[in-house]
Amino acid sequence: DCHGHCHPMSRQLGQHAEGRNGARDLMRAAKIDLEPTMISVPVRADKAPGGFEMRSVPVIDPYRLMHTLFTSVGVRIPTQRVQKIWMVHREELGEEWARESPATDEHVPMALYGDGAKIREDGTKVVGLFLSMPQVWRPSSTRCARWCVFAMEEHKLYKHHTLDRIFRRMVYSCNVLFDGHDPDRPGQVLCGGRKFTVTELKGDWQWHKLSLRFTSSWTRMDSVCFLCDAQTRSANPAKLHYCLDDHPQWTPFNLQIFLSEQMVIPDPCPYILL
């Protein structure tokens, strides 16, 4: 019995069983006002001048999503739970990212997760970007823990420029959540006063290569890993990426070295502004 521990809207939504029109009935009952934001992005078009054309695509702004979840849907995360997470990472584990973060111990940690998947037998893939709060919000159903904010067929991406436009919007929106002020309603706060910060960029190696565009690659002899200086060919056997010694001489990258050596292109991934 969740009475007294669940938002009234959440109890109402729970009454809609799975069925032929379950999704429609749920959305009608929720009455959630969350319209996507249309973003102009370059989309691959081989016959167009320059190989691309500008199109408007929908994205869900993270600050609007979180505001809806916390004020309309009824997601509740105790402040004590958030403070405990920061205490563990800052004081008990002494992790550098947590100690140097400008976030307070009441900023809710978020994650941006990206991935791709085949959707057709002909190999057509779609890439998606999801928002979650894995450290403080872990419901039993994964569907209730991740929210898709962007999706597009991979073959429509124009080099890195398409995702670059999307990432810029994500960075802006997540930084709005960090400050907590609603840009659509001057003088008003978001999410009932809660603030958020991105602490994780999640995804497999292929997604990180696609999104961050780091310079290391399995095809390079001098730099195969984006986390350390392991090499494929070296006079020092302890530097080889396949070294099996108990103490190989790989040097992990810190933030400064990663930015200077792995993201040296003129227009680095906008994620560095998070």
Side-chain angles (χ1 to χ4, degrees):
D1 184 9
C2 64
H3 183 72
H5 301 280
C6 184
H7 192 277
M9 178 176 287
S10 299
R11 292 199 299 272
Q12 181 182 4
L13 298 183
Q15 297 174 1
H16 294 274
E18 294 184 1
R20 186 172 183 179
N21 294 318
R24 181 203 64 188
D25 296 339
L26 184 146
M27 293 305 296
R28 286 180 177 177
K31 298 179 181 178
I32 297 175
D33 183 19
L34 183 60
E35 294 295 328
T37 300
M38 303 305 294
I39 303 296
S40 179
V41 302
V43 176
R44 181 178 176 180
D46 294 334
K47 296 182 179 180
F52 71 94
E53 60 185 16
M54 301 301 295
R55 294 185 184 176
S56 293
V57 299
V59 301
I60 299 296
D61 264 312
Y63 77 85
R64 291 177 176 170
L65 171 64
M66 285 300 171
H67 184 73
T68 300
L69 290 173
F70 277 77
T71 62
S72 297
V73 176
V75 171
R76 295 171 180 169
I77 298 178
T79 301
Q80 295 81 357
R81 184 186 305 171
V82 176
Q83 292 174 331
K84 183 178 180 180
I85 290 294
W86 285 109
M87 182 191 68
V88 169
H89 288 290
R90 283 174 170 164
E91 300 178 17
E92 296 183 12
L93 300 179
E95 295 181 342
E96 183 179 2
W97 70 265
R99 288 187 286 106
E100 295 187 358
S101 171
T104 69
D105 63 355
E106 294 187 3
H107 273 77
V108 180
M110 301 187 304
L112 282 172
Y113 166 71
D115 202 357
K118 291 184 179 180
I119 58 174
R120 294 179 185 152
E121 293 294 334
D122 61 3
T124 300
K125 292 183 62 177
V126 62
V127 294
L129 192 60
F130 302 81
L131 193 68
S132 64
M133 298 175 286
Q135 296 191 65
V136 294
W137 179 255
R138 302 177 68 89
S140 56
S141 174
T142 304
R143 293 182 179 181
C144 298
R146 296 176 181 174
W147 302 279
C148 182
V149 294
F150 169 75
M152 175 180 280
E153 295 93 331
E154 189 176 53
H155 69 269
K156 293 183 179 179
L157 300 179
Y158 176 64
K159 300 181 180 180
H160 68 276
H161 302 293
T162 306
L163 287 180
D164 183 84
R165 292 290 185 94
I166 300 300
F167 291 157
R168 287 176 184 273
R169 186 68 191 189
M170 293 297 109
V171 169
Y172 160 76
S173 193
C174 289
N175 286 340
V176 166
L177 281 171
F178 185 90
D179 293 330
H181 299 292
D182 192 341
D184 301 326
R185 301 176 302 150
Q188 301 295 316
V189 297
L190 290 165
C191 310
R194 304 301 295 269
K195 298 181 180 181
F196 303 78
T197 184
V198 176
T199 58
E200 298 178 77
L201 296 177
K202 307 183 71 171
D204 58 16
W205 185 90
Q206 185 177 16
W207 171 257
H208 287 317
K209 180 66 174 177
L210 177 66
S211 59
L212 297 176
R213 293 175 283 127
F214 43 76
T215 59
S216 60
S217 169
W218 287 112
T219 62
R220 290 187 56 177
M221 298 291 110
D222 59 338
S223 178
V224 296
C225 179
F226 69 98
L227 297 177
C228 71
D229 63 352
Q231 301 175 1
T232 299
R233 184 178 298 167
S234 174
N236 182 0
K239 281 287 187 182
L240 298 174
H241 75 267
Y242 50 85
C243 176
L244 300 179
D245 294 348
D246 292 336
H247 302 287
Q249 296 179 12
W250 308 324
T251 303
F253 295 145
N254 58 27
L255 177 60
Q256 290 73 24
I257 295 179
F258 177 81
L259 293 177
S260 64
E261 296 189 6
Q262 290 293 311
M263 304 183 76
V264 297
I265 53 180
D267 53 342
C269 176
Y271 275 168
I272 66 174
L273 300 177
L274 284 169

